[in-house]
Amino acid sequence: NALPSGPNEASFPHAARWYKHIAAVKGLTAKAGSAAPAPAAAAEEDDEDVDLFGSDDDEVDEEAEKIKQQRLAEYAAKKANKPKTIAKSMCTLDVKPWDDETDMVALEAHVRAITMDGLLWGQSKLVPIGYGIKKLQINCVIEDELVSLDVLEEKIMEGEDFIQSMDMAAMQKI
């Protein structure tokens, strides 16, 4: 059992391969179409010599390695000299007095008297709450590694004569 001649391998290589495969699956022998096996073999040999990515694994260019090591050393030195960023936060604190007769100037003076490394007090204002009572709303900038908000709250709350409570109204990372 033989099939008629298949497609020309030189003109239609994929169709010829498929034709041979079907013939083998069916148990038939395919008659060879007109093919040029010699140029195909020569093309395969040429493909082996072509290096598409240009990699020479056998040879190591000492000049390129020296330049690469120099650049890595320069990058490491540049990175070591770069100062680390300091994480800062801007906090708005609400400090509430006991009653409307509390001296708000003394309350603000007590709060601003707190000094710590990494703590910078900003602007403040008196905000009315109700029934003539005003709260002190004050901004501060803190360095996150140096100042703990819990410690700051404890120091503010030491003024028991003036302060009923303290809340964190807002906090933003800078």
Side-chain angles (χ1 to χ4, degrees), residues 88-142:
K88 293 183 179 182
S89 300
M90 181 175 170
C91 305
T92 303
L93 306 174
D94 286 342
V95 183
K96 298 172 190 141
W98 282 109
D99 58 13
D100 61 339
E101 296 177 1
T102 303
D103 185 11
M104 296 304 285
V105 175
L107 184 133
E108 183 176 354
H110 166 74
V111 172
R112 287 190 183 271
I114 298 170
T115 57
M116 301 170 75
D117 288 340
L119 173 66
L120 177 68
W121 293 107
Q123 65 182 8
S124 64
K125 63 181 178 179
L126 297 176
V127 179
I129 299 175
Y131 302 107
I133 300 175
K134 296 180 180 179
K135 67 180 178 181
L136 173 69
Q137 193 171 54
I138 188 165
N139 292 332
C140 65
V141 176
I142 61 169

Side-chain angles (χ1 to χ4, degrees), residues 128-163:
I129 299 175
Y131 302 107
I133 300 175
K134 296 180 180 179
K135 67 180 178 181
L136 173 69
Q137 193 171 54
I138 188 165
N139 292 332
C140 65
V141 176
I142 61 169
E143 290 183 25
D144 294 342
E145 291 183 11
L146 300 176
V147 178
S148 168
L149 289 175
D150 294 333
V151 172
L152 180 62
E153 182 178 359
E154 287 175 9
K155 287 190 175 189
I156 291 173
M157 292 304 291
E158 286 175 359
E160 297 172 349
D161 300 338
F162 308 113
I163 301 168

Side-chain angles (χ1 to χ4, degrees), residues 48-68:
E48 291 177 8
D49 293 338
V50 175
D51 189 6
L52 298 176
F53 299 106
S55 62
D56 295 331
D57 294 336
D58 299 335
E59 300 175 14
V60 176
D61 189 9
E62 293 179 14
E63 181 84 20
E65 283 295 319
K66 198 181 291 184
I67 291 171
K68 181 179 175 184

